[in-house]
Amino acid sequence: MESTPSQPRDTWGSKLTFILAAAGSAIGLGNIWAFPTNTAANGGAAFVLVYLICVIFIGAPVMLAEFTIGRSARRNPVGAFKMLAPGTSWKILGGLGVATGVIILSFYAVIAGWTVAYILKCMVGTFKPGVDTLAIFEGMSGNPLSAIGYLLVFMALSVYVVVGGVRDGIERWTKVLMPILLILLVLLGIRAVTLSGAKEGLAFYLKPDFSLINLKVVLAAAGQAFFSLSLGMGTMITYGSYIAKRDNLVSSTLWVGGLDTAIAILAGLIIFPTLFHAGLGLQEGGPGMVFVVLTSLLGEMPPAPIGGIIFGTGFFLLLGIAAITSSVSLLEVGVAYIVDEKRISRKKAGLMLGGMAFVLGIPSALGNGAVSWLTDLPGIGKDFLSFLFVVFGQYSLAIGAMLISIFVGWKWGVKAASAEVESEGNVFRFRRIWSFLVRFLCPITLAVILINMLWGVITG
Ligand code: TRP
């Protein structure tokens, strides 16, 4: 194998820090920003139910598959496929993952950059009762300088963490940031469910109306599950490559998937009561819901005005922290690839890929009002960021997840993967169920999902 790493490979300090890092990757804008938005757009509790089913039966098995590939090969996704299936084209799947990571990072950092802007705005008490929150949002996202400036700030932070390495960068920062995130989330949740009007919000969110479940809801839930669990592009292969052989991959999967799901559910417990408080209800999806609707309530958050300042600052800080531990994982896939395969230093690799993602991110940043054709792409009817989100945040991940389950189920084989889970005497709970899911249920459902997604594109 041509890719023997020149130095001993970093591993996570312990199983706990690995779980925190992988959960840090999974928990991000997907949970706190996209999950409530998608729930609102797809009928509330019914969507939540379908989402849970997707996480358990498709998400979790694919996550375990990625961990086994990564830990067995101890390589980045490209190197891992080269090692486990030498001389085949499977390495292209790794390459697709690396490219997808850089592209997702490019637009992810745009939204994450907005959270930096909003932390500052909330701190100085911008959101007084009656302010025009839409104008404030458009003033920020439509101004080319601030749109690109915040992107740059956020990208620089991500590069800084990744360049520090697995132990001293990613692990060190997630260990500090994840507990803060959990505390903020619980505090904001308590504040939200004790607001007047919280009850209707909770009913919309938690009482399913089964008649609302249709194909569109299922597709949205499946796409949301992959994105939220960071699956389908080799993030979990890469993070898995740093796991110690003694750690149990099944319990790690349950922890990471469980934490990610719990945080998404909790985020809804913050957003929905807050939106229904003051009788606002649901207005629009997209960035609007968090940046425009939620902020319009801050001014009335008791005790005014300090309540709104604390809640708002806390909320966007939460969003920013969740985002950085995720963007770091998007960048790490490409950095691991370059460090392993091209023997270029971590620092150079981080700067190079971060720089690329920054440049690629500029059209996404400008497509929210600053440049009109990027804001409404001719013939597509979407802004540039939303377009990339659909192509790379949904289709590319669904293709990746399908091929990863085919690889583990049929090419590399569930026997070899199981042996990896059972390394150093670990017990493989759910072995037979998992083998069935990864060989049959995952690839088939993913193929059906993909066909429907693409069909949706063709038929508009
Ligand atoms: N899962 C993260 C979120 O919910 C985003 C993310 C990080 C991601 N790494 C990923 C998504 C890899 C897909 C693939 O915000």
Side-chain angles (χ1 to χ4, degrees):
M1 244 63 31
E2 63 260 56
S3 51
T4 325
S6 38
Q7 303 153 349
R9 198 175 179 79
D10 247 356
T11 52
W12 305 109
S14 69
K15 185 173 170 192
L16 174 69
T17 53
F18 154 66
I19 288 171
L20 283 181
S25 164
I27 298 164
L29 297 171
N31 303 57
I32 300 165
W33 173 71
F35 177 77
T37 307
N38 271 326
T39 303
N42 289 289
F47 173 85
V48 178
L49 198 76
V50 180
Y51 176 79
L52 292 177
I53 294 173
C54 291
V55 167
I56 295 170
F57 291 103
I58 314 177
V62 172
M63 185 183 288
L64 181 57
E66 290 204 26
F67 284 155
T68 57
I69 295 175
R71 192 175 69 177
S72 167
R74 304 207 148 282
R75 298 271 187 294
N76 66 90
V78 179
F81 287 112
K82 271 204 239 171
M83 185 165 167
L84 300 179
T88 65
S89 311
W90 282 98
K91 58 179 180 289
I92 298 173
L93 177 55
L96 177 72
V98 170
T100 302
V102 175
I103 297 173
I104 294 182
L105 176 63
S106 79
F107 64 78
Y108 198 83
V110 171
I111 306 166
W114 296 345
T115 68
V116 178
Y118 269 63
I119 295 170
L120 303 175
K121 285 187 200 302
C122 287
M123 269 165 66
V124 298
T126 304
F127 299 105
K128 299 188 178 66
V131 291
D132 185 347
T133 54
L134 182 62
I136 293 175
F137 178 71
E138 290 177 344
M140 172 200 64
S141 70
N143 174 336
L145 259 188
S146 65
I148 296 177
Y150 287 117
L151 164 66
L152 182 64
V153 169
F154 193 83
M155 197 65 81
L157 286 172
S158 310
V159 170
Y160 175 76
V161 174
V162 169
V163 163
V166 173
R167 275 278 172 106
D168 300 327
I170 301 176
E171 180 170 313
R172 191 171 101 201
W173 284 101
T174 36
K175 252 190 336 207
V176 179
L177 294 175
M178 292 304 285
I180 300 179
L181 179 126
L182 292 176
I183 293 169
L184 276 174
L185 206 68
V186 171
L187 290 179
L188 293 177
I190 293 172
R191 170 69 279 198
V193 297
T194 50
L195 288 168
S196 63
K199 256 208 198 106
E200 294 140 61
L202 291 177
F204 172 79
Y205 184 45
L206 299 174
K207 275 212 197 111
D209 173 354
F210 293 101
S211 69
L212 293 175
I213 298 178
N214 57 27
L215 185 67
K216 178 179 155 265
V217 170
V218 176
L219 292 183
Q224 172 64 26
F226 288 119
F227 188 84
S228 186
L229 294 166
S230 298
L231 298 176
M233 55 148 277
T235 297
M236 294 307 178
I237 294 181
T238 308
Y239 273 29
S241 75
Y242 308 119
I243 306 178
K245 291 282 183 197
R246 62 173 179 279
D247 291 345
N248 190 312
L249 296 179
V250 178
S251 69
S252 300
T253 302
L254 296 178
W255 269 107
V256 176
L259 278 170
D260 185 66
T261 308
I263 302 282
I265 302 280
L266 257 171
L269 288 181
I270 298 176
I271 305 272
F272 290 107
T274 312
L275 292 183
F276 279 78
H277 167 77
L280 252 168
L282 306 161
Q283 293 196 331
E284 53 175 317
M289 201 162 104
V290 164
F291 291 97
V292 180
V293 183
L294 192 69
T295 49
S296 72
L297 301 174
L298 290 177
E300 289 135 37
M301 191 65 76
I306 195 75
I309 295 181
I310 294 175
F311 187 92
T313 310
F315 179 80
F316 287 104
L317 194 62
L318 170 78
L319 201 54
I321 290 176
I324 188 136
T325 51
S326 300
S327 62
V328 157
S329 76
L330 287 161
L331 185 57
E332 174 63 22
V333 176
V335 168
Y337 163 64
I338 295 183
V339 171
D340 288 353
E341 308 293 310
K342 310 281 175 213
R343 312 278 181 88
I344 291 175
S345 74
R346 188 166 256 284
K347 188 166 172 192
K348 267 201 200 131
L351 285 170
M352 222 166 77
L353 287 181
M356 256 170 75
F358 167 67
V359 173
L360 276 173
I362 291 175
S364 292
L366 295 179
N368 287 279
V371 174
S372 63
W373 70 272
L374 288 170
T375 307
D376 187 4
L377 286 176
I380 292 179
K382 275 189 173 40
D383 64 281
F384 194 79
L385 192 160
S386 308
F387 174 68
L388 287 187
F389 205 133
V390 171
V391 176
F392 292 94
Q394 306 268 282
Y395 304 154
S396 183
L397 297 182
I399 295 174
M402 180 182 74
L403 293 175
I404 286 169
S405 58
I406 293 175
F407 179 80
V408 171
W410 300 95
K411 171 71 192 163
W412 185 42
V414 285
K415 266 222 180 90
S418 303
E420 181 56 42
V421 175
E422 287 163 350
S423 69
E424 298 200 0
N426 274 299
V427 180
F428 190 170
R429 266 186 299 161
F430 310 118
R431 175 178 171 155
R432 294 185 56 185
I433 302 173
W434 176 76
S435 303
F436 169 77
L437 294 175
V438 88
R439 298 185 76 176
F440 299 101
L441 190 90
C442 296
I444 294 170
T445 1
L446 280 162
V448 173
I449 287 171
L450 258 166
I451 291 168
N452 279 294
M453 280 180 173
L454 296 176
W455 185 248
V457 179
I458 296 164
T459 57

